Amino acid sequence: MSAAIITMPEPEVQWTLPSRGRVAMFSLIAAESAIFSIFVVAYLFYLGKSLSGPTPKEILRVPIVFTICLLSSSITIHLAVRSLQSGKLGAFTRWWFLTFALGAAFLAGTAIEWRHLIYDEGFTIQTNLFGTTYFSLVGLHAFHVLMGLMALFTVWLLTLLGNVKREHAERVDVLALYWHFVDSVWVVVFLVVYVIGR
Amino acid sequence: MSTELIAWPRAPESSVPFVERLHGWVTTVDHKRLGLMYILYAMVFLLIGGIEALIMRIQLAVPHNNFVSPQVFNRLFTMHGTTMIFFVIMPLVFGFANYLVPLMIGARDMAFPRLNAFSFWLTAFGGILLYFSWLGANGLYGAGNAPDVGWFAYAPLTSRTFSVGHSTDYWTLSLLVSGFGSIGAAINIIATTLCLRSPGMTLGKMPLFAWLNLVMAGLVILAISPLSAAQIMLVIDRYLGGHFFDTQAGGSAVIWMHFFWVFGHPEVYVLVLPAFGIASEIIPVFSRKAIFGYPIMVAATVAIGFISMSVWAHHMFTVGMSSNANTFFVLSTMAIAVPTGIKIFNWLATMWGGKIEFKAPMLFCTAFLFQFLIAGLTGIMQGAAPFDWHLANSYFVIAHFHYVIVGGILFTFFAAFYYWFPKVTGRMYNETLAKLHFWLFFIGFHLTFDFMHIPGLLGMPRRIYTYEPGRGWETWNLIVTIGVVFQALGILVFIVNLLWSYFKGKTAGNDPWDAWTLEWSTSSPPPAYNFAVTPSVKSRRPLWDLKHPEDPDWRYE
Amino acid sequence: MQDVYSSKRMLRPALKVLSTLFCLSTTSVADSPTFSSPTNIFAPASTPAHSIFGLNLFVLAITGAIFVTVFSLLAYAVVKFRKRADDDGREPAQVYGSNQVEVAWTVIPILIVVVLFMATARVIAYVQMAMPENAMQVVAVGHQFWWEYRYPGANVVTANELHVPVSDPAHPTPTFIKLLSADTDHSFWVPRLAGKTDLIPNRTNTTWIDPQQVGLYLGQCAQYCGTQHAKMLLRVYVQSRSDFDRWIQEQSQPAHVSDTASEGRRIFESIGCMNCHAVAGTAADGRFGPDLTHLMSRDTIASGIAPNTHEKLRQWIQDPSTLKPGARMPAMGLDEPELNAVTAYVETLR
Ligand code: HEA
Ligand code: HEA
Ligand code: CUA
Ligand SMILES: [Cu+2]
């Protein structure tokens, strides 16, 4: 038999399949959500179980400004992708950079908060159960922001070098999905750590 | 075995220098080569894990034996369990999925070939890391080398207090690394099955093997991720002084159990679903009938996937959960029997009224049906919580899961080896040797694992390096050990068969089994591009349609 | 305690119908010499073990019936539908499925599962909730690799050999055991008395037993707890009420410290034994190892792995790892005279 023996009548309907980039990104997001769920469960389970102080109420301050930064970056990245889809490269570059800047500001916020906790309050991951779960959960999220920022920055560089064109809108959109995910995880982390946990 | 398991079709490999060929394999992103590398890797670890089992069995053959020290024995069962689950069955699963899924759905490669290579190398690195512990974990304390905490590594045994040195670090890092590899591979399988099917192959026409791998990949995403999360926590505890599982700082030992089994239970279905997929391909072909109740088979698979996410605590019936929790997990555990039973009955119905030919692949699949039935029923016994208060952590559990994993999964994978051997190598395996392999392994399996239930019922706990005489366990343990010898002989015959047939086997042709799925339409071995023309399909059995134009399947589906 | 027996009575008719066959085979097999084992789960001797046993038979009967049915179908298919030698080479009739049979083999298993579930839920509720009244309290603490037992009411601390009174069905005197752990996870499993329950650090678990016959019941730790998990054996001595009372009375006394072994005692209290061992009535109050106050009242040492004889005791004190490699007691490096003296001293602790 030869290598191509199948000559079936053409299927009637048009053959379209989902984009593999999006499918893969959604799978990755599912996996990441599972990881975050475990950390969130650990956080909630250990609330108030520390054998020694300090407690969340004593030392945590609610990072409202930085939260606004991160959440608004979801809007700017959306606008960036829209611009690219309609071919407005200039607008894309600007929105994209703004997204990066907002994300970076958020990360700086986390850094400042941690600096304060570690150096001023003497509160570390070793202090008690609260310290362990707090630094792990917030740190895991910060790590994801960092990964996102690196990707955003790479795309921005490529744009400046003239390598990002309208036909890349699909891929950029997939990256934006990841960024939206990082943002929505923050909503959960924020609620758990700064609202319920306090 | 060397890496040149398959003769690459176009390039006359023998003329290419060895280093070039090796380089070709190491840098490959081709799904078929990666698939074979996964499989080869699993085979090597099967031998290693098997030899570890053999040593354990020698130690347990008679009471108060001194073949190995308790420390070594504890390392052996930890390494055996971890190796067999993560570095034998998982790579086998991904290897077969990699090789076959693109061929079965008429695609040219996986969705992300480079991610695919990356995943393989992560898995490979994880296994090497685990075994490097024999050399690297001693550390300053003169502490132990290989990990000795058991494959589910209950806290607080893994804490720095009880596990000095670095053995546990090797265990956790190795599973973390290979876990990322598995997640990558799973993402790839999902994207491939959803996005690369050839024209006409709707989800309702996708071969069951591809379907089961799709569900398997979904479970990997939802199961391995919690494991990775728990391992990250353990790393934080051990390296950064965290307290997640530190009972002295108010941490909980039980939460590790939950995290582990939230992974651990779906994991066993990750292992078994591809085996179901293999059975669902082989049984119809050798019974010469279409699979019975295809839509129900798919539905049952999805149901198993969902239910399996909610049963994890049946591994924890003895940790003192409330009676309400125990009752809930009894119900969810037993519920799994329903979709699994549907599958068994559908396979039976596929054989019913057929013309069954007992070539080696079918022999192994029939044995699988028989053994999986028993294993499932012992699972139900354990699912009845009060019964499990006795059975948990006894040799009955060991017998239950070896019955599923060896008697179910390994048997179907042997079937798969023989079934697809002609496709992969272009040569036929030796049927006589294959039958010899079957009977040796079948007898060995039953000697070992049938009789292993009994000491469990007579009160023998697992993970003991030796036991007291006079408890009625001696005879049974001796028989169990004798069985392993037969298993080892069977595996030796298997390897001889593969090697011999690879060099000397008869040429097989493209479609030796007169089968029905797309991989049999391309040449054996398949060319690098898989299909010269992208096939388009109209039914679940495209080759049946082609061979029976007067009565094609698409009329009935 | 009353409903213990009534619930058993209610389970029984159902059992009789479904499991006569199985009962016969197991009990006859269980009595045969190859199966006779002091740790057989099918030889219950206490109420929790009895009710589990009832459920076991029920589950075994149902799963056995399923096995026989499905196996017969499989065997029939394998024999009947194999390809004949005189096959005409035509493909058999293609059948794609049938909704009626699919429904049948979905609904029947669902019904079976419901039945199994209800029987199971009953026994769970019964064993876990029927916390016997006026039971005797014992605290069991798992240590790497030995058992500590405390009788809070009687101010008794002992190790490795649990003593409980026999429980006459007419006047039950059950024992309620609180399970704690000092280090890693362990599991308390004496198969003839009850199912196993884990001992987990930072957590309190409970179990109960009411053995109905005097005698010695064996078991062993059933949760991997480290190097010597294999040699963490359990011994439960079930005694008549009067014997038990006498035992408790003796155990609650401080050690009989006689002068005959004062040299050994001096060594014991100066080289570090007392950092880990307690001897009531003396300066020794370590809690890391077993309480030695009434060491000589025990039949075995080191959680049941060796008889409590002069030779074994001496060997143990000289180097525990010769009997139990990995045990948490170090070899103390005593020379011959010291060893003899210390052994002589501990042998006075009765
Ligand atoms: C691939 C592997 C695999 C598979 C498929 C299964 C399948 C099942 N397992 Fe198993 N199991 C393991 C691997 C697997 N298991 C492992 C590795 C462990 C131990 C881990 C460790 O401790 O190290 C374990 C341990 C384990 C335990 C914990 C024991 C303990 O430690 O205390 C339990 C308890 O409920 C259990 C139950 C089940 C059940 C109910 C099924 C069901 O899925 C079975 C369903 C199938 C059938 C029931 C047969 C067919 C059905 C019919 C013919 C229909 C009619 C039947 C009825 C209506 C009942 N398993
Ligand atoms: C995929 C899973 C898998 C597989 C295939 C096996 C296969 C086998 N297992 Fe394993 N087993 C586990 C998974 C698996 N096991 C797990 C998860 C545990 C729990 C660990 C824990 O408690 O933490 C366990 C525990 C376990 C125990 C309990 C240890 C204890 O609790 O103390 C025992 C004891 O008998 C055992 C035996 C065997 C045997 C005899 C085989 C046989 O089937 C093996 C047959 C194979 C061979 C015999 C190899 C053939 C070798 C050759 C032919 C070599 C010749 C070649 C050269 C020298 C080059 N296993
Ligand atoms: Cu204690 Cu095992
Ligand atoms: Cu399970």
Side-chain angles (χ1 to χ4, degrees):
Chain A
M1 263 179 275
S2 79
I5 47 162
I6 307 185
T7 40
M8 226 71 72
E10 282 294 302
E12 303 80 46
V13 282
Q14 245 245 290
W15 189 240
T16 48
L17 289 165
S19 131
R20 59 191 170 144
R22 290 181 79 84
V23 168
M25 184 51 79
F26 277 120
S27 311
L28 181 67
I29 288 177
E32 296 270 31
S33 312
I35 294 187
F36 273 105
S37 318
I38 296 294
F39 276 86
V40 166
V41 167
Y43 192 91
L44 292 173
F45 178 80
Y46 281 137
L47 267 184
K49 291 212 171 68
S50 296
L51 296 184
S52 57
T55 64
K57 219 177 172 63
E58 285 161 18
I59 50 169
L60 283 193
R61 288 180 300 205
V62 185
I64 301 224
V65 178
F66 299 117
T67 302
I68 294 174
C69 283
L70 189 64
L71 296 188
S72 44
S73 75
S74 250
I75 305 172
T76 56
I77 202 170
H78 180 68
L79 294 172
V81 175
R82 282 269 291 278
S83 312
L84 190 62
Q85 278 163 348
S86 44
K88 295 183 209 132
L89 264 178
F92 167 72
T93 320
R94 281 188 299 279
W95 284 125
W96 195 261
F97 184 74
L98 188 57
T99 311
F100 174 78
L102 287 169
F106 171 82
L107 203 59
T110 307
I112 295 168
E113 183 180 348
W114 281 26
R115 211 201 115 78
H116 164 73
L117 290 174
I118 295 172
Y119 290 101
D120 302 343
E121 307 274 358
F123 173 71
T124 69
I125 199 166
Q126 304 191 347
T127 307
N128 58 10
L129 279 170
F130 164 52
T132 303
T133 50
Y134 165 81
F135 281 105
S136 311
L137 180 57
V138 174
L140 188 69
H141 179 260
F143 175 73
H144 282 79
V145 175
L146 187 66
M147 300 310 279
L149 283 179
M150 274 153 61
L152 290 178
F153 190 69
T154 315
V155 172
W156 190 65
L157 275 187
L158 290 175
T159 321
L160 291 188
L161 295 175
N163 285 335
V164 177
K165 305 266 165 46
R166 186 176 184 170
E167 63 262 30
H168 298 115
E170 161 95 33
R171 294 193 184 185
V172 171
D173 189 32
V174 169
L175 183 55
L177 269 180
Y178 175 80
W179 191 253
H180 289 310
F181 164 71
V182 170
D183 278 7
S184 31
V185 168
W186 179 251
V187 176
V188 176
V189 173
F190 184 83
L191 285 177
V192 166
V193 174
Y194 298 97
V195 181
I196 304 174
R198 251 161 51 102
Chain B
M1 266 185 290
S2 75
T3 40
E4 1 158 354
L5 196 71
I6 70 167
W8 214 243
R10 284 166 311 157
E13 289 264 350
S14 43
S15 65
V16 184
F18 175 74
V19 180
E20 296 262 302
R21 266 186 288 160
L22 192 65
H23 181 261
W25 279 91
V26 171
T27 57
T28 187
V29 295
D30 177 84
H31 74 100
K32 296 182 288 299
R33 286 188 165 202
L34 285 168
L36 291 178
M37 278 154 72
Y38 266 119
I39 292 172
L40 206 67
Y41 174 82
M43 295 280 293
V44 171
F45 275 110
L46 175 65
L47 291 186
I48 298 177
I51 291 170
E52 282 160 355
L54 201 60
I55 301 176
M56 285 194 291
R57 284 320 317 175
I58 296 175
Q59 164 70 13
L60 292 175
V62 290
H64 286 321
N65 200 358
N66 274 322
F67 188 65
V68 292
S69 70
Q71 289 87 348
V72 169
F73 187 90
N74 295 347
R75 285 175 204 140
L76 282 176
F77 69 69
T78 306
M79 294 295 270
H80 166 75
T82 311
T83 307
M84 287 295 198
I85 300 276
F86 294 99
F87 302 112
V88 176
I89 307 286
M90 287 292 270
L92 273 183
V93 162
F94 287 130
F96 276 90
N98 246 302
Y99 197 99
L100 293 170
V101 167
L103 284 170
M104 282 189 162
I105 64 173
R108 196 187 172 290
D109 204 323
M110 297 288 276
F112 304 101
R114 266 173 294 185
L115 172 64
N116 202 13
F118 183 60
S119 308
F120 167 74
W121 288 107
L122 278 183
T123 308
F125 181 64
I128 293 166
L129 194 63
L130 182 69
Y131 273 84
F132 186 72
S133 65
W134 288 107
L135 300 175
N138 274 304
L140 287 175
Y141 316 89
N145 40 38
D148 59 355
V149 287
W151 88 281
F152 41 74
Y154 274 1
L157 261 183
T158 48
S159 68
R160 292 217 80 102
T161 328
F162 296 106
S163 169
V164 288
H166 291 291
S167 57
T168 304
D169 301 325
Y170 277 89
W171 181 82
T172 171
L173 291 174
S174 133
L175 293 199
L176 199 54
V177 170
S178 67
F180 290 140
S182 304
I183 294 175
I187 291 179
N188 225 329
I189 293 173
I190 295 181
T192 307
T193 45
L194 291 185
C195 310
L196 298 189
R197 278 164 288 131
S198 61
M201 186 180 282
T202 56
L203 281 179
K205 295 192 171 67
M206 194 160 73
L208 278 177
F209 181 80
W211 248 114
L212 279 121
N213 274 293
L214 172 60
V215 177
M216 176 277 284
L219 274 179
V220 166
I221 299 263
L222 297 177
I224 302 270
S225 310
L227 176 70
S228 302
Q231 302 289 8
I232 294 173
M233 292 177 180
L234 187 55
V235 170
I236 290 176
D237 271 13
R238 289 187 60 90
Y239 279 107
L240 301 180
H243 307 293
F244 279 110
F245 311 116
D246 177 359
T247 45
Q248 260 127 43
S252 161
V254 177
I255 200 167
W256 167 269
M257 303 181 189
H258 281 293
F259 290 168
F260 188 90
W261 292 117
V262 160
F263 144 78
H265 186 84
E267 167 71 8
V268 304
Y269 292 94
V270 166
L271 304 179
V272 86
L273 287 183
F276 288 172
I278 292 167
S280 303
E281 296 302 328
I282 294 179
I283 292 178
V285 169
F286 286 89
S287 310
R288 309 306 310 156
K289 280 181 67 210
I291 187 84
F292 191 89
Y294 173 99
I296 318 261
M297 286 298 253
V298 173
T301 310
V302 177
I304 291 179
F306 274 106
I307 303 176
S308 73
M309 308 291 302
S310 67
V311 306
W312 75 90
H314 67 210
H315 297 269
M316 299 166 55
F317 282 143
T318 62
V319 305
M321 291 189 295
S322 72
S323 58
N324 288 339
N326 281 337
T327 312
F328 169 80
F329 286 106
V330 168
L331 183 59
S332 59
T333 298
M334 290 188 173
I336 288 234
V338 177
T340 317
I342 292 176
K343 285 186 154 294
I344 299 230
F345 295 127
N346 276 317
W347 287 318
L348 268 176
T350 306
M351 293 165 73
W352 209 264
K355 293 181 174 173
I356 309 171
E357 202 177 351
F358 284 103
K359 291 269 175 50
M362 189 61 188
L363 271 182
F364 276 102
C365 280
T366 314
F368 151 78
L369 275 183
F370 167 61
Q371 283 145 198
F372 187 74
L373 172 66
I374 299 179
L377 293 172
T378 55
I380 294 297
M381 297 175 200
Q382 293 170 168
F387 206 161
D388 193 60
W389 293 335
H390 279 314
L391 302 179
N393 276 333
S394 77
Y395 260 83
F396 193 89
V397 171
I398 305 281
H400 155 73
F401 73 73
H402 283 91
Y403 233 96
V404 206
I405 295 185
V406 180
I409 301 172
L410 211 53
F411 268 74
T412 38
F413 273 101
F414 283 140
F417 266 100
Y418 288 124
Y419 181 67
W420 280 291
F421 188 83
K423 178 50 59 187
V424 173
T425 63
R427 290 176 188 270
M428 215 49 201
Y429 63 84
N430 181 313
E431 188 68 42
T432 321
L433 283 180
K435 292 225 161 95
L436 181 63
H437 166 206
F438 174 79
W439 287 111
L440 280 173
F441 201 74
F442 184 79
I443 293 170
F445 169 83
H446 283 282
L447 276 180
T448 301
F449 296 115
D450 291 8
F451 293 103
M452 197 184 266
H453 290 91
I454 299 170
L457 297 174
L458 299 184
M460 177 166 171
R462 66 194 285 193
R463 296 175 168 180
I464 54 174
Y465 76 97
T466 192
Y467 50 94
E468 303 295 306
R471 305 232 163 156
W473 305 340
E474 294 93 329
T475 326
W476 310 114
N477 276 300
L478 190 61
I479 301 177
V480 167
T481 300
I482 292 170
V484 186
V485 178
F486 287 86
Q487 291 188 54
L489 287 177
I491 290 184
L492 280 179
V493 173
F494 170 62
I495 292 169
V496 168
N497 194 355
L498 290 191
L499 288 177
W500 187 86
S501 312
Y502 172 64
F503 292 108
K504 295 273 159 61
K506 285 203 291 282
T507 318
N510 291 350
D511 185 13
W513 309 120
D514 193 4
W516 301 312
T517 38
L518 284 178
E519 77 271 26
W520 302 105
S521 71
T522 185
S523 57
S524 306
Y529 46 84
N530 288 356
F531 300 94
V533 179
T534 307
S536 69
V537 300
K538 273 188 94 178
S539 81
R540 290 168 202 145
R541 293 193 296 170
L543 299 207
W544 169 277
D545 295 353
L546 203 74
K547 293 167 188 168
H548 301 269
E550 75 293 348
D551 189 25
D553 261 6
W554 47 263
R555 288 212 191 124
Y556 306 100
E557 278 172 7
Chain C
M1 285 314 292
Q2 205 42 49
D3 71 24
V4 173
Y5 303 99
S6 66
S7 123
K8 239 174 71 190
R9 257 200 304 277
M10 286 167 70
L11 212 66
R12 213 160 250 164
L15 279 178
K16 262 194 188 132
V17 184
L18 271 152
S19 59
T20 317
L21 223 173
F22 194 83
C23 266
L24 281 176
S25 58
T26 33
T27 37
S28 62
V29 171
D31 287 345
S32 76
T34 23
F35 280 85
S36 76
S37 158
T39 47
N40 187 351
I41 69 166
F42 291 125
S46 151
T47 307
H50 268 299
S51 28
I52 296 175
F53 179 61
L55 179 73
N56 292 357
L57 294 184
F58 182 71
V59 172
L60 280 168
I62 290 198
T63 48
I66 296 174
F67 172 74
V68 169
T69 316
V70 181
F71 177 73
S72 318
L73 292 173
L74 178 64
Y76 182 80
V78 166
V79 174
K80 183 76 199 297
F81 300 115
R82 50 167 71 235
K83 191 174 176 183
R84 305 278 152 215
D86 57 350
D87 187 69
D88 57 5
R90 300 229 313 268
E91 301 280 20
Q94 298 294 309
V95 184
Y96 298 91
S98 147
N99 285 340
Q100 288 93 314
V101 295
E102 297 280 2
V103 169
W105 62 51
T106 308
V107 171
I108 297 174
I110 290 182
L111 295 178
I112 301 178
V113 164
V114 169
V115 171
L116 278 173
F117 167 68
M118 293 202 307
T120 308
R122 243 188 116 85
V123 179
I124 294 180
Y126 168 61
V127 176
Q128 279 195 268
M129 284 175 191
M131 280 315 170
E133 292 156 32
N134 64 40
M136 185 182 72
Q137 307 275 329
V138 180
V139 180
V141 188
H143 293 258
Q144 274 183 327
F145 313 104
W146 59 281
W147 305 90
E148 174 184 342
Y149 298 111
R150 296 166 167 270
Y151 295 72
N155 199 20
V156 166
V157 181
T158 179
N160 294 333
E161 294 178 359
L162 175 65
H163 288 245
V164 298
V166 70
S167 175
D168 169 9
H171 306 283
T173 48
T175 304
F176 182 79
I177 308 173
K178 199 162 142 187
L179 302 164
L180 307 171
S181 164
D183 34 52
T184 60
D185 299 348
H186 306 270
S187 195
F188 186 90
W189 187 29
V190 183
R192 295 193 59 202
L193 299 184
K196 62 177 74 64
T197 312
D198 294 357
L199 300 85
I200 297 170
N202 219 355
R203 181 185 178 97
T204 307
N205 279 338
T206 55
T207 187
W208 64 280
I209 53 177
D210 64 342
Q212 283 137 20
Q213 273 161 36
V214 172
L216 171 62
Y217 296 84
L218 300 179
Q220 69 189 76
C221 176
Q223 181 66 277
Y224 178 60
C225 49
T227 312
Q228 272 299 348
H229 161 62
K231 291 198 174 169
M232 188 165 162
L233 310 183
L234 276 159
R235 300 169 73 83
V236 177
Y237 290 77
V238 176
Q239 295 173 300
S240 70
R241 189 77 224 184
S242 53
D243 286 355
F244 176 76
D245 288 339
R246 192 173 325 116
W247 180 83
I248 274 283
Q249 170 59 26
E250 281 165 14
Q251 295 287 312
S252 60
Q253 303 300 314
H256 306 273
V257 188
S258 65
D259 290 339
T260 50
S262 55
E263 172 61 4
R265 178 173 174 189
R266 195 189 55 74
I267 301 173
F268 187 91
E269 290 176 2
S270 60
I271 63 159
C273 306
M274 61 180 262
N275 293 341
C276 300
H277 293 287
V279 179
T282 74
D285 62 353
R287 282 285 163 231
F288 185 77
D291 190 301
L292 299 181
T293 312
H294 298 284
L295 177 68
M296 297 321 283
S297 73
R298 305 208 264 273
D299 291 343
T300 60
I301 56 169
S303 69
I305 60 143
N308 190 358
T309 59
H310 175 72
E311 287 72 35
K312 291 289 177 191
L313 205 51
R314 191 170 182 280
Q315 188 185 347
W316 174 265
I317 295 170
Q318 186 173 32
D319 184 0
S321 67
T322 55
L323 286 168
K324 202 170 173 180
R328 302 296 295 257
M329 167 166 158
M332 299 298 288
L334 304 177
D335 59 26
E336 282 292 301
E338 286 173 337
L339 184 59
N340 289 336
V342 170
T343 313
Y345 168 59
V346 296
E347 280 177 333
T348 62
L349 303 173
R350 50 187 74 251

